[in-house]
Amino acid sequence: MTMVIGPRSARALPEIRHTTTFRLVTTLGVMFVIAVIALLGLTYVLTAAQLTSRSDQVLFKDMHELAGVPRAQLPNAVDGLIVTNASGLTFYGLVGPDGRKLAGNIVLPDGVHGGAPFDLPAGSAAAVPLRAIITRLPDGTRVEVARDTSPIIDLRHRIFAIMATSGLAVILIALVAGWLLSLGPLRRVAQFRAVAMRIATGELGPRMTISRRSDELDLIAGMINAMLDEIERLMEQVKGATDAIAHDLRTPLAHLRHRLQTLARRATGAEADPDPAVAEAIVDIDMVLRRFNALLRISELEASGRQAGFGPVDPMTLLADIAELYEPLAEERGIGLSLEGAYGHDILGDETLLLEVVSNLVENALKFVNPGGQVALSVRRTGDAIVIAVCDNGPGIPEAERELVLGRFRRGSGAARTTGMGLGLNLVAAIVNLHGFALSLEDAEPGLCVRIACQGRENAR
Amino acid sequence: MTHVLVVEDDGDVAAIILAKLSEQGFTVRHATTGREGLACALAERFDAITLDRMLPDMDGLALLARLRAEQIAVPVLLLSSMSDVDQRIAGLRAGGDDYMVKPFSPEELAMRIEVLLRRHGEYPDNAMLRVGDLELDLIKRKVWLGREPIPLLQKEFRLLEFLARHPGQTISRQMIFEQVWGYFFEPTDNLINVHIGKLRRKLDRPGRPPLISTIKGEGYRLDPA
């Protein structure tokens, strides 16, 4: 149940992924990528169409030229065109109705009709892919013009590769930019979280830092700070009221006690025992006064935060003193009180306050354990910490109630049959807090184990 | 006649103190400010002073320091609403002889003043302490009742010694806790009762009146009988 709180040092990628900035930047990046793909895609389609149309124009021009040539001179014209075609990319063919080549350097597969250009894959008529047009003369002779499209296809592939690469680069840039842009706000969020953690542990002093940028984080930080101020003010008010009540009631109660005592004396004479009823009333008033004193003491401790009385303390000596103090009480109740551990551990603390802590814990244990039970005091080194434990085999405290019993006036449900102030554990918590030690209530199966993990002096601040 | 100076600005508290101390048969002088208190303390000889820690014109500790600087060794009981241990230590360091947290019962105040008076009186500090049949060797830390030696543990001896130094005087549980154990937090009544009970079992003999009486609501008293 002990909460361990510490700043998370590493900013892992999964964490960044959840930041608003990162989401915004990546969303923008994705949209940018879509736009780039659309733009490049359109460019690609248009360029491809343009290139095709250019080769179609060449095809039409050559076909047009051949169409104007009388039938008898066509073979010569075809050969002439082949010679004059410097690029070598255009092929010409004159194929008779029987499928025999009459002239030219190509024969396209038959079966294609009409005057529109069409594509032929590589290997069907030539080794290269072709764009071709065929004109069928009235006598069945076919005039064929084809153009090698491999440079165009090549170009298309290259454009596609360029576009894919640049698209990927854009996506990558967007991710990196998102990550970098997220770092700043994330650092501030981490600061906020560290402050919030401290506040969650009950320290109401710290505030969120506000930068001079007045951005939305500053706005939120400002609002949180204002809320904290208000909470602190209210808490002060409530605490102040409680303390004032306790303080103001103490004096009249002391007067009342005095009057009762005078009354008792007057009735019975100075030497005799006072009237039992009056004596009971005085005992009751004493209990109320003790409660008020405890309340005020807790307030003092919570408010002071001072460590003026701190010095080296050997926890074992402390436990031994308490064991000696409570031994007769334990014996009277038929409860075993044991002490375990070694001398020589060294913690930094206020001895008087720590004595009060252990005394409270032992007092509580003796109150709840049945005759025949055991209360064990121990000091143990666990890792860096020196752990003072007060364990018993009494009824214990149900897990759900353990946190509650530390609060002011709270008492576990099992406490109904015993008298108690209900402030003991709260006082313990206040003192342990003042020392910066960790307090935990654990199940001793059966019973309760209260542990105080103290920093050894060598590890102390 | 025991002469006590009460330096206290709170009228109600002062009235209670004055009434109680007069009832004890003391002559009392009341000062409401630090200056007045200091003037009184310098002008007259007192057997004890009760000094409020917070006075309207000066800190009680400052007044105390002035007194000690003037070589006035009168026992001083500091009264304060500050229950903090640090405050108590500061008070005792400044030369206070005892420290009481307000509110207090007038009986406890009277008891503490008695203790202070006796402490400053001439009781034997390194010899035998005798109360009726009870004999304490303060050096060898041994106890006899009549001629019978009574084996006591260290704390039991200190408890008996404290009671025996103030025979016939009621001592509160808080005082016992502070003086015998040196602890300043409030013990439960039961805790001190049990220690007293243990001591009683060792001291009481059938047919004899108990040595230590319980004064209900106040504390314990070792009767010299």
Side-chain angles (χ1 to χ4, degrees):
Chain A
M1 65 148 271
T2 321
M3 220 173 26
V4 180
I5 295 161
R8 295 246 307 263
S9 52
R11 260 186 296 278
L13 201 63
E15 196 185 346
I16 282 183
R17 218 181 50 199
H18 295 299
T19 65
T20 316
T21 321
F22 186 80
R23 276 208 302 268
L24 283 176
V25 173
T26 36
T27 309
L28 204 67
V30 167
M31 283 166 70
F32 187 58
V33 165
I34 290 170
V36 165
I37 287 173
L39 181 71
L40 293 180
L42 192 68
T43 313
Y44 173 76
V45 168
L46 289 178
T47 311
Q50 186 61 32
L51 287 170
T52 309
S53 122
R54 286 290 286 277
S55 47
D56 286 358
Q57 272 174 22
V58 172
L59 291 179
F60 278 129
K61 192 190 123 247
D62 285 352
M63 190 53 90
H64 187 73
E65 210 179 309
L66 289 173
V69 178
R71 168 67 185 86
Q73 287 166 22
L74 269 175
N76 285 336
V78 165
D79 288 337
L81 277 174
I82 291 169
V83 174
T84 52
N85 176 31
S87 70
L89 286 175
T90 314
F91 302 91
Y92 303 92
L94 191 63
V95 183
D98 51 356
R100 226 164 23 90
K101 185 167 89 177
L102 303 174
N105 52 6
I106 197 161
V107 176
L108 297 174
D110 197 6
V112 184
H113 302 285
F118 60 94
D119 291 307
L120 279 169
S124 56
V128 290
L130 295 173
R131 176 104 180 141
I133 185 167
I134 299 173
T135 305
R136 203 174 283 275
L137 297 180
D139 65 347
T141 310
R142 287 180 289 147
V143 181
E144 304 172 346
V145 181
R147 204 166 156 79
D148 178 359
T149 53
S150 59
I152 297 173
I153 289 168
D154 232 36
L155 192 61
R156 268 195 239 160
H157 283 165
R158 214 164 296 162
I159 291 172
F160 184 80
I162 288 168
M163 289 193 298
T165 321
S166 53
L168 279 175
V170 167
I171 292 170
L172 212 67
I173 287 168
L175 285 173
V176 171
W179 181 64
L180 287 176
L181 286 174
S182 305
L183 278 183
L186 205 63
R187 205 172 293 133
R188 297 202 54 202
V189 169
Q191 280 171 2
F192 286 0
R193 188 166 56 186
V195 172
M197 290 289 195
R198 281 171 64 195
I199 292 166
T201 57
E203 210 185 324
L204 271 180
R207 291 289 179 270
M208 308 287 172
T209 42
I210 297 177
S211 73
R212 267 172 293 173
R213 279 179 302 226
S214 307
D215 57 14
E216 67 278 11
L217 283 177
D218 289 324
L219 206 70
I220 293 169
M223 275 159 55
I224 292 175
N225 284 351
M227 275 161 53
L228 286 171
D229 288 343
E230 184 60 13
I231 291 170
E232 200 177 15
R233 194 184 62 78
L234 287 173
M235 281 189 57
E236 279 302 316
Q237 230 169 42
V238 170
K239 208 162 79 69
T242 319
D243 295 352
I245 291 168
H247 194 272
D248 291 353
L249 284 183
R250 275 198 313 176
T251 313
L253 277 170
H255 293 186
L256 180 62
R257 187 188 191 282
H258 172 57
R259 296 214 172 94
L260 276 172
Q261 220 149 22
T262 317
L263 188 72
R265 287 256 176 68
R266 209 173 287 160
T268 57
E271 288 308 307
D273 276 351
D275 186 309
V278 178
E280 288 290 316
I282 290 173
V283 168
D284 286 348
I285 289 178
D286 282 347
M287 198 190 69
V288 175
L289 277 171
R290 252 209 294 271
R291 262 182 209 217
F292 282 151
N293 283 344
L295 255 182
L296 289 170
R297 223 167 121 48
I298 290 166
S299 293
E300 263 180 17
L301 285 169
E302 282 173 350
S304 75
R306 269 175 319 172
Q307 304 180 338
F310 278 27
V313 177
D314 183 343
M316 190 62 186
T317 311
L318 197 126
L319 290 191
D321 285 351
I322 292 292
E324 192 198 353
L325 178 63
Y326 281 95
E327 177 63 50
L329 191 60
E331 201 179 301
E332 192 193 68
R333 300 210 175 137
I335 296 166
L337 188 63
S338 68
L339 180 63
E340 192 193 314
Y343 287 91
H345 290 306
D346 203 6
I347 60 174
L348 189 67
D350 184 319
E351 190 174 12
T352 321
L353 292 181
L354 291 175
L355 274 166
E356 194 171 348
V357 162
V358 182
S359 152
N360 255 301
L361 296 177
V362 173
E363 186 106 24
N364 256 325
L366 290 177
K367 204 184 302 173
F368 291 108
V369 173
N370 292 319
Q374 273 289 333
V375 176
L377 309 181
S378 66
V379 177
R380 235 176 239 117
R381 175 176 274 283
T382 309
D384 276 349
I386 292 156
V387 180
I388 298 174
V390 177
C391 301
D392 63 57
N393 58 359
I397 300 178
E399 191 169 356
E401 280 183 47
R402 280 179 216 153
E403 189 80 50
L404 292 178
V405 294
L406 293 173
R408 278 192 192 189
F409 294 119
R410 290 276 172 65
R411 291 170 60 200
S413 55
R417 62 195 169 80
T418 45
T419 55
M421 307 205 311
L423 281 168
L425 273 177
N426 193 233
L427 192 66
V428 166
I431 294 174
V432 168
N433 234 352
L434 178 74
H435 282 80
F437 297 160
L439 179 70
S440 62
L441 306 184
E442 285 154 33
D443 197 350
E445 294 171 346
L448 178 68
C449 224
V450 183
R451 287 182 214 279
I452 302 165
C454 316
Q455 286 162 295
R457 258 186 97 203
E458 60 272 26
N459 301 316
R461 292 155 290 179
Chain B
M1 195 98 177
T2 309
H3 197 35
V4 180
L5 172 63
V6 175
V7 188
E8 173 64 66
D9 62 312
D10 184 331
D12 285 352
V13 177
I16 292 171
I17 298 176
L18 295 179
K20 182 66 198 176
L21 295 184
S22 308
E23 185 192 315
Q24 295 290 112
F26 299 160
T27 56
V28 191
R29 183 71 186 262
H30 179 207
T32 51
T33 65
R35 257 172 247 288
E36 191 189 340
L38 187 62
C40 286
L42 292 174
E44 291 173 49
R45 207 196 68 78
F46 291 97
D47 297 295
I49 298 177
T50 75
L51 177 58
D52 189 18
R53 176 83 163 71
M54 277 191 289
L55 293 164
D57 56 340
M58 68 197 292
D59 187 341
L61 293 190
L63 199 162
L64 182 57
R66 276 294 301 279
L67 285 183
R68 296 308 185 219
E70 298 285 339
Q71 305 293 320
I72 296 172
V74 54
V76 172
L77 169 59
L78 281 162
L79 303 178
S80 169
S81 48
M82 292 180 273
S83 65
D84 200 62
V85 176
D86 291 354
Q87 292 297 331
R88 188 187 294 270
I89 291 167
L92 298 180
R93 276 214 188 114
D97 297 272
D98 199 0
Y99 192 103
M100 251 182 107
V101 180
K102 284 183 186 175
F104 45 81
S105 77
E107 283 68 33
E108 174 111 12
L109 176 90
M111 278 180 221
R112 285 185 190 252
I113 287 179
E114 292 269 1
V115 167
L116 285 184
L117 290 172
R118 303 260 181 129
R119 195 190 289 168
H120 278 252
E122 60 292 1
Y123 60 54
D125 226 350
N126 45 8
M128 302 294 284
L129 193 59
R130 285 191 187 82
V131 181
D133 282 351
L134 196 66
E135 239 182 310
L136 282 86
D137 184 331
L138 298 180
I139 295 161
K140 292 185 183 153
R141 311 226 131 216
K142 289 203 161 105
V143 179
W144 292 269
L145 187 63
R147 302 220 154 253
E148 182 194 354
I150 310 281
L152 290 185
L153 298 174
Q154 199 194 342
K155 279 279 154 46
E156 290 167 346
F157 184 87
R158 283 181 59 182
L159 178 55
L160 183 62
E161 180 191 342
F162 184 55
L163 291 171
R165 280 188 188 276
H166 310 281
Q169 200 181 329
T170 308
I171 308 283
S172 74
R173 293 179 179 84
Q174 181 69 44
M175 285 165 83
I176 291 173
F177 203 48
E178 287 175 15
Q179 298 289 333
V180 178
W181 276 273
Y183 297 159
F184 291 100
F185 53 92
E186 286 189 69
T188 51
D189 288 352
N190 241 331
L191 183 60
I192 303 300
N193 293 356
V194 151
H195 282 276
I196 293 281
K198 247 183 109 186
L199 188 59
R200 272 185 179 145
R201 280 196 291 281
K202 293 194 177 180
L203 293 174
D204 287 354
R205 295 288 172 270
R208 294 179 59 149
L211 274 170
I212 303 169
S213 354
T214 306
I215 314 300
K216 262 202 166 168
E218 292 188 33
Y220 297 97
R221 189 179 61 213
L222 182 69
D223 292 311

mmCIF file of all heavy atoms in Angstrom, chain A residues 256-277:
data_model
loop_
_atom_site.group_PDB
_atom_site.id
_atom_site.type_symbol
_atom_site.label_atom_id
_atom_site.label_comp_id
_atom_site.label_asym_id
_atom_site.label_seq_id
_atom_site.Cartn_x
_atom_site.Cartn_y
_atom_site.Cartn_z
ATOM 1 N N LEU A 256 -13.088 24.060 33.930
ATOM 2 C CA LEU A 256 -14.130 23.146 34.379
ATOM 3 C C LEU A 256 -13.535 22.050 35.264
ATOM 4 O O LEU A 256 -14.072 21.712 36.328
ATOM 5 C CB LEU A 256 -14.809 22.528 33.153
ATOM 6 C CG LEU A 256 -15.932 21.537 33.413
ATOM 7 C CD1 LEU A 256 -17.077 22.207 34.151
ATOM 8 C CD2 LEU A 256 -16.439 20.952 32.094
ATOM 9 N N ARG A 257 -12.392 21.558 34.810
ATOM 10 C CA ARG A 257 -11.720 20.511 35.560
ATOM 11 C C ARG A 257 -11.346 21.035 36.951
ATOM 12 O O ARG A 257 -11.553 20.362 37.959
ATOM 13 C CB ARG A 257 -10.450 20.101 34.811
ATOM 14 C CG ARG A 257 -9.749 18.906 35.402
ATOM 15 C CD ARG A 257 -8.411 18.692 34.708
ATOM 16 N NE ARG A 257 -7.835 17.414 35.085
ATOM 17 C CZ ARG A 257 -7.223 17.190 36.241
ATOM 18 N NH1 ARG A 257 -7.139 18.167 37.136
ATOM 19 N NH2 ARG A 257 -6.714 16.008 36.521
ATOM 20 N N HIS A 258 -10.850 22.248 36.953
ATOM 21 C CA HIS A 258 -10.449 22.865 38.210
ATOM 22 C C HIS A 258 -11.647 22.996 39.152
ATOM 23 O O HIS A 258 -11.579 22.681 40.340
ATOM 24 C CB HIS A 258 -9.843 24.236 37.910
ATOM 25 C CG HIS A 258 -9.560 25.046 39.141
ATOM 26 N ND1 HIS A 258 -8.740 24.591 40.150
ATOM 27 C CD2 HIS A 258 -9.993 26.271 39.528
ATOM 28 C CE1 HIS A 258 -8.674 25.495 41.088
ATOM 29 N NE2 HIS A 258 -9.422 26.534 40.747
ATOM 30 N N ARG A 259 -12.780 23.449 38.589
ATOM 31 C CA ARG A 259 -13.973 23.649 39.414
ATOM 32 C C ARG A 259 -14.457 22.324 39.985
ATOM 33 O O ARG A 259 -14.851 22.239 41.142
ATOM 34 C CB ARG A 259 -15.084 24.285 38.580
ATOM 35 C CG ARG A 259 -14.684 25.665 38.112
ATOM 36 C CD ARG A 259 -15.836 26.641 38.034
ATOM 37 N NE ARG A 259 -15.282 27.955 37.749
ATOM 38 C CZ ARG A 259 -15.170 28.466 36.524
ATOM 39 N NH1 ARG A 259 -15.627 27.793 35.478
ATOM 40 N NH2 ARG A 259 -14.630 29.646 36.340
ATOM 41 N N LEU A 260 -14.418 21.289 39.126
ATOM 42 C CA LEU A 260 -14.848 19.962 39.593
ATOM 43 C C LEU A 260 -13.977 19.507 40.754
ATOM 44 O O LEU A 260 -14.470 18.956 41.744
ATOM 45 C CB LEU A 260 -14.744 18.948 38.454
ATOM 46 C CG LEU A 260 -15.933 18.903 37.502
ATOM 47 C CD1 LEU A 260 -15.608 18.005 36.321
ATOM 48 C CD2 LEU A 260 -17.161 18.371 38.228
ATOM 49 N N GLN A 261 -12.694 19.768 40.613
ATOM 50 C CA GLN A 261 -11.774 19.334 41.643
ATOM 51 C C GLN A 261 -12.027 20.088 42.965
ATOM 52 O O GLN A 261 -12.033 19.495 44.035
ATOM 53 C CB GLN A 261 -10.351 19.594 41.176
ATOM 54 C CG GLN A 261 -9.436 18.470 41.568
ATOM 55 C CD GLN A 261 -8.324 18.298 40.563
ATOM 56 O OE1 GLN A 261 -7.996 19.223 39.832
ATOM 57 N NE2 GLN A 261 -7.751 17.129 40.523
ATOM 58 N N THR A 262 -12.278 21.399 42.810
ATOM 59 C CA THR A 262 -12.582 22.204 43.996
ATOM 60 C C THR A 262 -13.847 21.689 44.664
ATOM 61 O O THR A 262 -13.924 21.549 45.885
ATOM 62 C CB THR A 262 -12.782 23.679 43.587
ATOM 63 O OG1 THR A 262 -11.764 24.019 42.656
ATOM 64 C CG2 THR A 262 -12.709 24.607 44.785
ATOM 65 N N LEU A 263 -14.832 21.400 43.801
ATOM 66 C CA LEU A 263 -16.120 20.898 44.277
ATOM 67 C C LEU A 263 -15.931 19.597 45.051
ATOM 68 O O LEU A 263 -16.451 19.404 46.152
ATOM 69 C CB LEU A 263 -17.019 20.658 43.065
ATOM 70 C CG LEU A 263 -18.471 20.313 43.316
ATOM 71 C CD1 LEU A 263 -19.196 21.560 43.812
ATOM 72 C CD2 LEU A 263 -19.119 19.806 42.039
ATOM 73 N N ALA A 264 -15.150 18.704 44.472
ATOM 74 C CA ALA A 264 -14.916 17.407 45.094
ATOM 75 C C ALA A 264 -14.246 17.581 46.454
ATOM 76 O O ALA A 264 -14.602 16.920 47.425
ATOM 77 C CB ALA A 264 -14.037 16.562 44.180
ATOM 78 N N ARG A 265 -13.296 18.496 46.503
ATOM 79 C CA ARG A 265 -12.583 18.756 47.745
ATOM 80 C C ARG A 265 -13.531 19.295 48.820
ATOM 81 O O ARG A 265 -13.490 18.888 49.966
ATOM 82 C CB ARG A 265 -11.506 19.814 47.506
ATOM 83 C CG ARG A 265 -10.365 19.286 46.741
ATOM 84 C CD ARG A 265 -9.175 19.037 47.657
ATOM 85 N NE ARG A 265 -8.117 18.438 46.864
ATOM 86 C CZ ARG A 265 -7.483 19.116 45.929
ATOM 87 N NH1 ARG A 265 -7.767 20.378 45.715
ATOM 88 N NH2 ARG A 265 -6.548 18.530 45.225
ATOM 89 N N ARG A 266 -14.339 20.255 48.367
ATOM 90 C CA ARG A 266 -15.236 20.907 49.314
ATOM 91 C C ARG A 266 -16.184 19.886 49.922
ATOM 92 O O ARG A 266 -16.514 19.922 51.090
ATOM 93 C CB ARG A 266 -16.016 22.010 48.596
ATOM 94 C CG ARG A 266 -16.406 23.149 49.528
ATOM 95 C CD ARG A 266 -17.018 24.284 48.745
ATOM 96 N NE ARG A 266 -16.035 25.018 47.963
ATOM 97 C CZ ARG A 266 -16.340 25.787 46.921
ATOM 98 N NH1 ARG A 266 -17.589 25.867 46.510
ATOM 99 N NH2 ARG A 266 -15.424 26.444 46.284
ATOM 100 N N ALA A 267 -16.623 18.924 49.089
ATOM 101 C CA ALA A 267 -17.601 17.939 49.546
ATOM 102 C C ALA A 267 -16.985 16.928 50.509
ATOM 103 O O ALA A 267 -17.620 16.489 51.447
ATOM 104 C CB ALA A 267 -18.217 17.237 48.345
ATOM 105 N N THR A 268 -15.726 16.542 50.248
ATOM 106 C CA THR A 268 -15.188 15.418 51.010
ATOM 107 C C THR A 268 -14.024 15.783 51.916
ATOM 108 O O THR A 268 -13.542 14.945 52.664
ATOM 109 C CB THR A 268 -14.714 14.306 50.051
ATOM 110 O OG1 THR A 268 -13.744 14.903 49.173
ATOM 111 C CG2 THR A 268 -15.846 13.737 49.258
ATOM 112 N N GLY A 269 -13.542 16.993 51.813
ATOM 113 C CA GLY A 269 -12.367 17.347 52.602
ATOM 114 C C GLY A 269 -11.118 17.083 51.798
ATOM 115 O O GLY A 269 -11.097 16.194 50.940
ATOM 116 N N ALA A 270 -10.089 17.831 52.070
ATOM 117 C CA ALA A 270 -8.902 17.824 51.220
ATOM 118 C C ALA A 270 -8.195 16.475 51.177
ATOM 119 O O ALA A 270 -7.696 16.060 50.148
ATOM 120 C CB ALA A 270 -7.946 18.905 51.701
ATOM 121 N N GLU A 271 -8.189 15.749 52.281
ATOM 122 C CA GLU A 271 -7.366 14.548 52.330
ATOM 123 C C GLU A 271 -8.052 13.309 51.762
ATOM 124 O O GLU A 271 -7.408 12.431 51.219
ATOM 125 C CB GLU A 271 -6.934 14.277 53.787
ATOM 126 C CG GLU A 271 -5.886 15.248 54.300
ATOM 127 C CD GLU A 271 -4.685 15.358 53.368
ATOM 128 O OE1 GLU A 271 -4.097 14.319 53.013
ATOM 129 O OE2 GLU A 271 -4.329 16.487 52.963
ATOM 130 N N ALA A 272 -9.403 13.295 51.871
ATOM 131 C CA ALA A 272 -10.104 12.092 51.429
ATOM 132 C C ALA A 272 -10.174 12.047 49.906
ATOM 133 O O ALA A 272 -9.951 13.034 49.220
ATOM 134 C CB ALA A 272 -11.508 12.085 52.013
ATOM 135 N N ASP A 273 -10.485 10.852 49.403
ATOM 136 C CA ASP A 273 -10.663 10.697 47.960
ATOM 137 C C ASP A 273 -11.905 11.449 47.522
ATOM 138 O O ASP A 273 -12.896 11.493 48.245
ATOM 139 C CB ASP A 273 -10.824 9.207 47.623
ATOM 140 C CG ASP A 273 -9.458 8.554 47.482
ATOM 141 O OD1 ASP A 273 -8.458 9.307 47.474
ATOM 142 O OD2 ASP A 273 -9.405 7.324 47.390
ATOM 143 N N PRO A 274 -11.871 12.044 46.341
ATOM 144 C CA PRO A 274 -13.059 12.765 45.875
ATOM 145 C C PRO A 274 -14.202 11.810 45.552
ATOM 146 O O PRO A 274 -14.005 10.598 45.427
ATOM 147 C CB PRO A 274 -12.573 13.493 44.627
ATOM 148 C CG PRO A 274 -11.345 12.770 44.195
ATOM 149 C CD PRO A 274 -10.750 12.169 45.418
ATOM 150 N N ASP A 275 -15.388 12.393 45.425
ATOM 151 C CA ASP A 275 -16.580 11.656 45.032
ATOM 152 C C ASP A 275 -16.289 10.884 43.740
ATOM 153 O O ASP A 275 -15.760 11.453 42.788
ATOM 154 C CB ASP A 275 -17.697 12.700 44.803
ATOM 155 C CG ASP A 275 -19.024 12.040 44.519
ATOM 156 O OD1 ASP A 275 -19.028 11.164 43.625
ATOM 157 O OD2 ASP A 275 -20.017 12.406 45.156
ATOM 158 N N PRO A 276 -16.610 9.570 43.691
ATOM 159 C CA PRO A 276 -16.277 8.788 42.493
ATOM 160 C C PRO A 276 -16.859 9.388 41.216
ATOM 161 O O PRO A 276 -16.207 9.384 40.177
ATOM 162 C CB PRO A 276 -16.888 7.412 42.767
ATOM 163 C CG PRO A 276 -17.242 7.388 44.199
ATOM 164 C CD PRO A 276 -17.232 8.777 44.750
ATOM 165 N N ALA A 277 -18.082 9.915 41.300
ATOM 166 C CA ALA A 277 -18.712 10.474 40.100
ATOM 167 C C ALA A 277 -17.909 11.668 39.603
ATOM 168 O O ALA A 277 -17.676 11.829 38.399
ATOM 169 C CB ALA A 277 -20.151 10.885 40.404
#
